[in-house]
Amino acid sequence: MSEKSSIEWTDSSWNPIRGCTKISPGCTHCYAETFAERFRGVPGHPYEQGFDLRLIPGKLAEPFHWKVPSRIFVNSMSDLFHEGVPDSYIDAVYGVMQDASWHTYQVLTKRSGRMRDALQDRLRSAALEPHIWWGVSVENRAHGLPRIDHLRDAPAGLRFLSVEPLLEDLGRVNLEGIGWVIVGGESGAGARRLDADWVRSLRDQCRDAGVPFFFKQWGGTRKKLAGRELDGRTHDEMPPWGGAAVMSPEGRREAIARVDRQIAGV
Ligand code: SF4
């Protein structure tokens, strides 16, 4: 069974890395940190070491175990392109995504420069795989808009933006080459304000540019109550997804053994 996600725009999460460090204002109330730190020091718990960055090679082969094609959020509890993750490990994660191609992967980062460099270079030959979507987080103009330029500079089958938590009006956004936009407000204690006009602006720009628009949530301290309707309706557009045929049981067994050998360094 895959790890089911409560995030509205995905089915499951896959975390071959745990933990991260903050890099910009969007990280201030990082949900992953809050969750992970709750279990720091609990013996045997996956987050016994809190939010410290750790590679989890034992999780690498998971997508081969999941038979049902799913949309998979890659590293919902970390950032694949964190400076502490070696290139060789990023390549191993990539190798699994490439081979377990009946799933659709959603890779989201705030380290957009490193992602761009990898897609332009080591991962270039396969960056255009249609079942792997590459995205950046955008919370404000100063930190978020340069990430969109990095993303546009990278070869990618599908590029997407996660504009969450949206912290200010982004103004005119260049959506050229962007295939999907998700927008949402911050939730939980201390959640920062989301203005409806900031969201409307992005919705209208997406409509004019023909880009699917997904409004995830208003957020706030009472997220359920605030809901996810904008101007009387939900906005759930997303690009069509669906990968290759599911690998045979024998093929999956072999792939898992291959990853296990890779982990063991054979
Ligand atoms: S980059 Fe993402 S996972 Fe890392 S601290 Fe920031 S919000 Fe959390």
Side-chain angles (χ1 to χ4, degrees), residues 20-23 26-27 30 32 51 76-79 110-111:
C20 192
T21 50
K22 296 183 178 185
I23 186 171
C27 300
C30 172
F51 203 44
S76 62
M77 296 293 290
S78 183
D79 187 331
K110 285 191 175 70
R111 276 85 177 175

Side-chain angles (χ1 to χ4, degrees), residues 113 115-124 127 150 153-155:
M115 182 171 83
R116 173 204 57 202
D117 294 347
L119 292 175
Q120 285 178 343
D121 182 31
R122 300 189 325 281
L123 306 181
R124 183 177 187 91
H150 290 164
D153 286 346

Side-chain angles (χ1 to χ4, degrees), residues 167-216:
L167 300 178
E168 64 179 4
D169 181 15
L170 295 184
R172 293 300 303 173
V173 178
N174 180 359
L175 293 172
E176 197 185 330
I178 304 301
W180 187 31
V181 173
I182 303 160
V183 177
E186 193 164 54
S187 56
R192 289 164 283 184
R193 186 179 77 90
L194 176 63
D195 189 302
D197 282 341
W198 306 344
V199 184
R200 288 190 185 105
S201 167
L202 288 165
R203 176 198 61 192
D204 295 348
Q205 291 183 61
C206 284
R207 184 196 55 216
D208 295 347
V211 175
F213 173 81
F214 192 105
F215 182 51
K216 180 170 171 264

Side-chain angles (χ1 to χ4, degrees), residues 18-247:
R18 293 185 190 132
C20 192
T21 50
K22 296 183 178 185
I23 186 171
S24 66
C27 300
T28 302
H29 300 131
C30 172
Y31 71 90
E33 180 192 37
T34 307
F35 176 85
E37 286 299 331
R38 216 181 291 158
F39 301 101
R40 182 180 286 279
V42 177
H45 192 278
Y47 290 94
E48 182 179 356
Q49 291 165 46
F51 203 44
D52 299 348
L53 183 78
R54 277 183 308 141
L55 310 183
I56 315 291
K59 290 265 176 187
L60 270 177
E62 268 186 343
F64 290 112
H65 289 278
W66 303 337
K67 270 187 305 196
V68 180
S70 303
R71 293 164 297 184
I72 298 178
F73 181 7
V74 180
N75 286 310
S76 62
M77 296 293 290
S78 183
D79 187 331
L80 179 63
F81 292 96
H82 189 284
E83 49 281 11
V85 180
D87 283 349
S88 57
Y89 198 78
I90 294 174
D91 296 354
V93 170
Y94 182 77
V96 172
M97 295 195 289
Q98 195 175 27
D99 291 346
S101 57
W102 56 96
H103 299 302
T104 296
Y105 299 89
Q106 299 158 319
V107 182
L108 182 61
T109 187
K110 285 191 175 70
R111 276 85 177 175
S112 51
R114 190 176 184 201
M115 182 171 83
R116 173 204 57 202
D117 294 347
L119 292 175
Q120 285 178 343
D121 182 31
R122 300 189 325 281
L123 306 181
R124 183 177 187 91
S125 61
L128 300 178
E129 298 272 8
H131 70 288
I132 307 177
W133 299 358
W134 304 95
V136 296
S137 300
V138 180
E139 71 269 52
N140 62 13
R141 289 191 292 268
H143 298 84
L145 297 185
R147 292 189 192 122
I148 303 177
D149 291 331
H150 290 164
L151 180 63
R152 203 182 347 265
D153 286 346
L158 188 127
R159 303 182 188 90
F160 72 99
L161 310 181
S162 171
V163 185
E164 187 189 8
L166 178 56
L167 300 178
E168 64 179 4
D169 181 15
L170 295 184
R172 293 300 303 173
V173 178
N174 180 359
L175 293 172
E176 197 185 330
I178 304 301
W180 187 31
V181 173
I182 303 160
V183 177
E186 193 164 54
S187 56
R192 289 164 283 184
R193 186 179 77 90
L194 176 63
D195 189 302
D197 282 341
W198 306 344
V199 184
R200 288 190 185 105
S201 167
L202 288 165
R203 176 198 61 192
D204 295 348
Q205 291 183 61
C206 284
R207 184 196 55 216
D208 295 347
V211 175
F213 173 81
F214 192 105
F215 182 51
K216 180 170 171 264
Q217 61 175 35
W218 288 106
T221 47
R222 301 168 81 187
K223 173 181 147 170
K224 279 218 172 90
L225 216 62
R228 44 189 306 271
E229 284 193 2
L230 170 65
D231 294 335
R233 52 160 288 204
T234 55
H235 295 73
D236 294 324
E237 294 169 8
M238 69 182 305
W241 64 280
V246 182
M247 208 181 253

